[in-house]
Amino acid sequence: MMKVKEDKLRTRFRDTYTALMWLRNNRERFEGNVYEPMMLVINVRDARHAKYVESHIPLNDLKAFVFQRQDDMEKFMTEVRDTQKLRVNSIIAPAESCSKRPPSRPLDTLKRYGFFSYLRELFDAPEEVMSYLCYQYKVNDVPIGTEKTKNMIEMVIREVQIRMIYTAEEKYNVKKSNYSNNVVSSNSALRPSQFLTTTIDADERRQLEEQLRAAERQVQSIDQRMAAIREQQAKLDRRDNELRAKKKKLSELKGKKRQLEQKISTKQDSLRQMEQNEINLEAIEEETNAKIAAVNNKKVAIMGEYLSHMQVKARLSMEKVYLALQSAGLSAEKTKLETDCRDGSAELKRAEVAYTKLDQAKTSLLETCKTLMRRAIQICNMTPGETAVPEELHAAFSQLPDTLDEIDAMLNEEKTRADCFTGLSDAVVEEYNRREQEIQNMEKELDDKTNALTTYRRNIAEAKERWLNPLKQLVDQINERFSDFFRSMQCAGEVDLHSENEEEYDKYGIRIRVKFRSSTQLHELTPHHQSGGERSVSTMLYLMALQELNRCPFRVVDEINQGMDPVNERRVFDIVVRTACGVNTSQYFFITPKNLTYAEQMTILCVHNGPYMLPPNKWNEKTFIRRAKRRQTH
C-alpha cells in the first residue's frame, strides 16, 4: 500500500518524490525526527473516513515534510530548494506537543446531534505530525456527524457553536459576525479521497495470492517435518527425564550415605570421650534426691498458706455479694418512694387548681343566671314576684326554635337582612335604573357591531376566494412543472403556497422542498440542509418552471454550471436544452465554457479571445479542425 501511495506521489508531485528519495538516502545528516510527506505517514483507520481528513488538511500540507528541529528544516530546504531547485513544502512541529490536547467539550454531549467521533480519532500519525495538525487545524476539536446531523443542522449550528462541522457528505463552516453578532454558515459537498485511500491491482493481487498459497503449501510440508522432529524430540526428552530422575535418586542415596557416615563418626567420638571422663552416678543421684526433697517441702508449706488465703478470700467475697444485694434493694425502694412523693405532690396541686376553677365557674354561672332572669322579667313587664309568662309572649316563644344554636343562627340571619337595608336612598335607586338602561344600549350596540362584523368577514372571504384560488392554481402549475423537472433527474421536489396563519396575508410565501437522495426526506430549500450545488440546481429548475408563465422574446442564461458538480451540471443542461428546443418557446442564449451535448436545433458560436489569439484575418477554421482531429488520434 505504501508503494501505491509513492506511485501516486511520483505521478502527481514529481519534485516532492525526488526530495523524498534524497531524504531516504541522507537521513543520517539530520539530528531530530524528520517525517516523510503527510500523505505517506497518515494512516486512516477506515477508508470511508479518508474524505474527511483529506478535505480538512490542505493539499500543500499533505505533501509537506514535517521536521522536529528548525535547523534540520533549514538544512533540508537549502539542499532541495536552493541547490536542486525543487518545489517542495516543509513545516516545523510545535515545540510543545499538542497531540493529546483534549477537545473543547466531551463527545458524549454531542452524540444526541448524530456526532460519532472527532476527526483526530479517525486516523493515526506520528507524534510530531499529530501535534502540528492539532495545533494548526484543530483536528482534536472538529466533530464528525452522520445524516442525522444534517437533518437537524440548524439546531446544531445554533446550539453547538463549533466553527467547523462535518456531516455524512458535507462540510460546514460557521462564523460569527463582528458587527451584528449574527451566525453565518456555509457548506460544501465533500469530494472522494484521492491520496489517503488506495486501490489494489487485481492481477497483482491474484499473483500474490498464488504465491501465498504456494508458500502455505511449503509451510504445511515444513510443519509436518517439524511435527515428526518434535515427536522424536519428545521421546528423547522423556528418556532424558528418566535418566535425570534416576541420577537424582542415586545422588540422594549418596547424600544419605554420607550423612549416616558422619553421624556414625560423631557418635563414635562422643562414645570415646565419655569413656575417658567417668562419672560417679550414685553420688550425683543422692545429691539430687536431697535437693528434690527440700524443694518439695517448700512447695507443701507454700500450698498450705495459699489455701488459707483462698478461704479468707471466699468468705469476704460472699459478704461483698450480700452487701451489694442489700444496697441494690434499698436504692430501688428509695427511688420508688421519691417517685411516689413527686406524683402525689403534682396530683395535689392539680386538684387544688381544679377546685379553685370549679368554684369560680359556679359563682360566675350563678351571677349570669340571676342577671338574665332580671332582664327577662323587665322585658316581659312582669312584677318581681310573678312567675307565670304572659299569654302573648308564650305564643311568640312557641314559634321560635327549641335549641340555643338554632336561635343564634336565626338571629344572625335577621341581622344580615337588616344590614342590607342600611344606607338605602333614592340615589341608589336612580343609579340602578341608569345602569340598567346603559346595559340595554350596550347590548343593542353589540348586536349592530356583530352584524357588521359578519358582513365584513363575508366580504373578506369573497375577496380572498377571488384572488387566493387563482394564486393556488398558479402555484399548482409551477409545482407540476418543478416536480416534472426533478423526476427527470431521479430526484423529488415540490412547490407550495405556505403561511403559518391564513389570515396573515403579508406572510404568505412560496416554499420549495427538494430531495436529492432516496434515503432522505423532502427538506425545505435552505442554506443549511443542501449544498451549494444542490441549491443552484433547485433555483435553476424553479426559474425554468416560472418561465412557462411569462412569455418573452428571448432569454439569456450565463454560467449555469457555477457551484454544480459535473453530474448535476449535465442534468440541468439537458433539461434546459429540452425546454428551449420545444415548440412555441422563447429563444435562449447559453453562455458556458463547458463542452456538453448539444441538440440539432441549437446554433453553436465559439468565442475565442485572449492576448495570444490570432487576428481574424489569419484564422483558418479548417486547419484548426484538422489539427484537433490529428491530436485526438495520437
Side-chain angles (χ1 to χ4, degrees):
M1 301 298 286
M2 181 60 70
K3 183 178 182 300
V4 174
K5 290 184 178 180
E6 291 176 2
D7 292 339
K8 285 186 178 181
L9 184 66
R10 183 177 65 252
T11 304
R12 296 289 300 275
F13 311 108
R14 188 68 185 183
D15 289 355
T16 305
Y17 180 80
T18 304
L20 173 64
M21 294 297 101
W22 181 87
L23 174 64
R24 291 180 177 178
N25 295 328
N26 298 274
R27 193 176 293 273
E28 68 278 1
R29 296 175 58 179
F30 303 97
E31 298 179 2
N33 294 332
V34 182
Y35 297 99
E36 298 176 358
M38 289 189 188
M39 65 176 63
L40 299 181
V41 299
I42 288 178
N43 177 39
V44 181
R45 300 175 182 176
D46 190 343
R48 295 174 297 178
H49 302 153
K51 58 184 178 182
Y52 302 120
V53 181
E54 197 164 317
S55 175
H56 192 74
I57 304 174
L59 180 60
N60 286 336
D61 281 355
L62 282 177
K63 63 179 182 178
F65 295 83
V66 182
F67 292 83
Q68 185 185 20
R69 297 167 58 92
Q70 181 70 31
D71 53 351
D72 287 343
M73 185 178 72
E74 294 175 356
K75 186 187 302 181
F76 175 81
M77 297 303 292
T78 301
E79 174 63 29
V80 299
R81 181 176 289 179
D82 299 338
T83 305
Q84 301 185 24
K85 306 299 181 181
L86 300 177
R87 292 183 296 177
V88 296
N89 297 331
S90 61
I91 56 178
I92 184 73
E96 184 178 357
S97 177
C98 304
S99 60
K100 305 297 183 182
R101 180 181 294 175
S104 60
R105 65 191 67 190
L107 182 62
D108 293 338
T109 61
L110 302 177
K111 287 187 177 179
R112 64 189 184 97
Y113 300 107
F115 294 105
F116 65 92
S117 175
Y118 281 103
L119 183 61
R120 180 178 60 185
E121 278 65 43
L122 300 182
F123 65 96
D124 299 319
E127 175 72 16
E128 284 78 9
V129 177
M130 185 65 77
S131 176
Y132 172 79
L133 295 178
C134 291
Y135 174 80
Q136 185 67 25
Y137 298 110
K138 306 295 186 297
V139 297
N140 62 308
D141 208 19
V142 178
I144 309 299
T146 58
E147 194 67 25
K148 176 183 177 181
T149 308
K150 180 182 176 182
N151 294 335
M152 55 190 306
I153 190 64
E154 293 183 4
M155 183 188 299
V156 173
I157 292 175
R158 183 174 62 254
E159 296 180 1
V160 175
Q161 298 182 357
I162 295 180
R163 296 185 60 184
M164 186 168 294
I165 297 171
Y166 283 91
T167 62
E169 298 295 335
E170 289 84 19
K171 172 183 178 181
Y172 287 84
N173 288 304
V174 182
K175 296 181 180 179
K176 191 173 184 180
S177 175
N178 295 328
Y179 303 97
S180 62
N181 288 330
N182 293 332
V183 177
V184 181
S185 64
S186 61
N187 63 321
S188 59
L190 297 177
R191 297 181 179 179
S193 175
Q194 300 181 16
F195 305 103
L196 299 182
T197 57
T198 57
T199 58
I200 301 175
D201 189 351
D203 295 335
E204 184 179 359
R205 179 176 180 175
R206 192 180 305 108
Q207 294 176 3
L208 293 175
E209 288 177 350
E210 292 178 356
Q211 295 178 9
L212 180 61
R213 285 193 291 271
E216 289 176 350
R217 289 193 295 269
Q218 186 176 1
V219 169
Q220 186 176 4
S221 175
I222 294 174
D223 287 341
Q224 293 176 355
R225 293 173 54 192
M226 287 292 293
I229 295 173
R230 288 194 186 98
E231 185 177 357
Q232 184 178 2
Q233 183 181 2
K235 293 180 181 179
L236 294 175
D237 288 341
R238 287 195 296 271
R239 178 61 179 167
D240 182 62
N241 292 334
E242 292 176 357
L243 295 175
R244 289 180 183 277
K246 189 175 181 180
K247 179 181 178 182
K248 183 178 179 182
K249 189 179 294 184
L250 293 175
S251 298
E252 291 176 353
L253 292 175
K254 183 177 180 181
K256 290 181 179 180
K257 179 183 178 182
R258 187 179 300 108
Q259 292 176 0
L260 291 174
E261 290 177 350
Q262 291 178 355
K263 288 181 179 180
I264 292 172
S265 176
T266 302
K267 294 294 183 181
Q268 289 177 352
D269 293 339
S270 298
L271 182 59
R272 283 194 297 270
Q273 186 176 2
M274 291 174 68
E275 289 176 350
Q276 292 176 359
N277 299 325
E278 293 182 356
I279 300 173
N280 189 356
L281 295 177
E282 294 179 356
I284 293 174
E285 183 178 1
E286 291 178 357
E287 184 179 357
T288 303
N289 290 332
K291 290 179 179 180
I292 291 172
V295 171
N296 289 332
N297 292 330
K298 289 183 180 180
K299 288 173 65 177
V300 170
I302 293 170
M303 286 300 297
E305 188 178 357
Y306 176 74
L307 288 174
S308 62
H309 287 303
M310 287 297 295
Q311 291 175 355
V312 174
K313 180 180 179 182
R315 187 176 63 257
L316 294 176
S317 297
M318 291 297 295
E319 292 178 358
K320 180 181 178 181
V321 171
Y322 292 148
L323 293 175
L325 290 174
Q326 291 177 2
S327 176
L330 293 174
S331 298
E333 187 176 356
K334 177 186 177 183
T335 303
K336 184 176 181 302
L337 291 174
E338 289 177 352
T339 303
D340 293 341
C341 182
R342 285 195 298 271
D343 293 343
S345 300
E347 186 67 26
L348 178 60
K349 289 181 181 179
R350 286 195 296 270
E352 291 175 353
V353 172
Y355 179 77
T356 303
K357 289 183 178 180
L358 181 61
D359 191 14
Q360 292 176 356
K362 181 179 179 181
T363 304
S364 176
L365 181 60
L366 181 60
E367 292 295 331
T368 302
C369 290
K370 290 180 179 180
T371 303
L372 292 175
M373 192 66 185
R374 286 194 297 270
R375 288 185 61 190
I377 291 172
Q378 292 175 1
I379 292 172
C380 295
N381 296 322
M382 295 173 63
T383 60
E386 188 178 0
T387 59
V389 180
E391 187 65 28
E392 61 274 11
L393 294 179
H394 183 75
F397 287 144
S398 64
Q399 297 178 0
L400 296 177
D402 296 332
T403 62
L404 184 61
D405 294 337
E406 293 177 349
I407 292 174
D408 291 338
M410 188 174 180
L411 285 173
N412 292 331
E413 183 178 356
E414 294 299 329
K415 286 181 181 180
T416 304
R417 289 180 180 178
D419 293 339
C420 293
F421 291 98
T422 302
L424 185 63
S425 63
D426 295 338
V428 175
V429 176
E430 292 177 359
E431 179 69 16
Y432 172 78
N433 294 330
R434 186 176 62 81
R435 292 293 178 89
E436 185 176 9
Q437 184 64 33
E438 288 180 357
I439 291 172
Q440 292 177 358
N441 295 335
M442 292 178 69
E443 288 178 349
K444 182 179 179 181
E445 184 181 358
L446 178 61
D447 293 338
D448 295 339
K449 289 186 177 181
T450 302
N451 296 330
L453 178 61
T454 303
T455 304
Y456 182 69
R457 285 180 176 175
R458 184 169 59 253
N459 295 335
I460 289 178
E462 293 175 356
K464 178 180 177 182
E465 186 176 358
R466 284 196 302 272
W467 69 264
L468 185 58
N469 290 338
L471 178 60
K472 288 183 177 180
Q473 294 176 1
L474 182 63
V475 174
D476 291 339
Q477 295 176 10
I478 298 173
N479 179 51
E480 183 178 357
R481 296 289 299 167
F482 187 75
S483 299
D484 291 341
F485 288 149
F486 264 83
R487 277 195 296 272
S488 65
M489 295 175 58
Q490 288 79 42
C491 300
E494 64 178 24
V495 177
D496 60 354
L497 188 64
H498 177 69
S499 176
E500 297 293 338
N501 186 359
E502 290 189 0
E503 302 302 327
E504 296 179 357
Y505 305 108
D506 58 335
K507 295 184 179 179
Y508 273 69
I510 297 296
R511 181 174 62 180
I512 302 175
R513 298 195 301 167
V514 295
K515 181 178 74 171
F516 285 89
R517 299 171 184 83
S518 59
S519 60
T520 60
Q521 301 294 329
L522 285 171
H523 289 289
E524 187 174 356
L525 188 65
T526 64
H528 306 291
H529 279 103
Q530 294 82 17
S531 63
E534 292 173 349
R535 293 199 301 272
S536 299
V537 172
S538 303
T539 304
M540 188 62 199
L541 295 183
Y542 176 69
L543 294 176
M544 291 183 61
L546 291 177
Q547 290 177 5
E548 298 295 327
L549 308 175
N550 184 17
R551 299 293 181 180
C552 60
F554 63 88
R555 306 180 190 279
V556 179
V557 182
D558 183 17
E559 296 295 345
I560 189 177
N561 59 314
Q562 290 300 316
M564 298 183 189
D565 56 86
V567 177
N568 288 329
E569 176 188 2
R570 187 169 298 278
R571 289 176 176 175
V572 174
F573 185 80
D574 291 341
I575 293 175
V576 175
V577 170
R578 187 167 62 252
T579 304
C581 295
V583 182
N584 297 326
T585 58
S586 303
Q587 185 179 9
Y588 276 78
F589 291 90
F590 294 114
I591 303 174
T592 175
K594 295 293 183 181
N595 183 16
L596 302 171
T597 303
Y598 305 106
E600 295 181 357
Q601 294 86 347
M602 300 177 65
T603 301
I604 303 173
L605 301 177
C606 298
V607 180
H608 300 277
N609 194 11
Y612 302 104
M613 293 303 300
L614 292 175
N617 56 354
K618 294 183 180 181
W619 177 260
N620 190 335
E621 184 177 0
K622 294 182 179 179
T623 304
F624 175 77
I625 295 174
R626 185 169 60 253
R627 289 179 179 175
K629 290 182 178 180
R630 186 166 59 250
R631 190 177 295 111
Q632 290 179 357
T633 55
H634 292 321

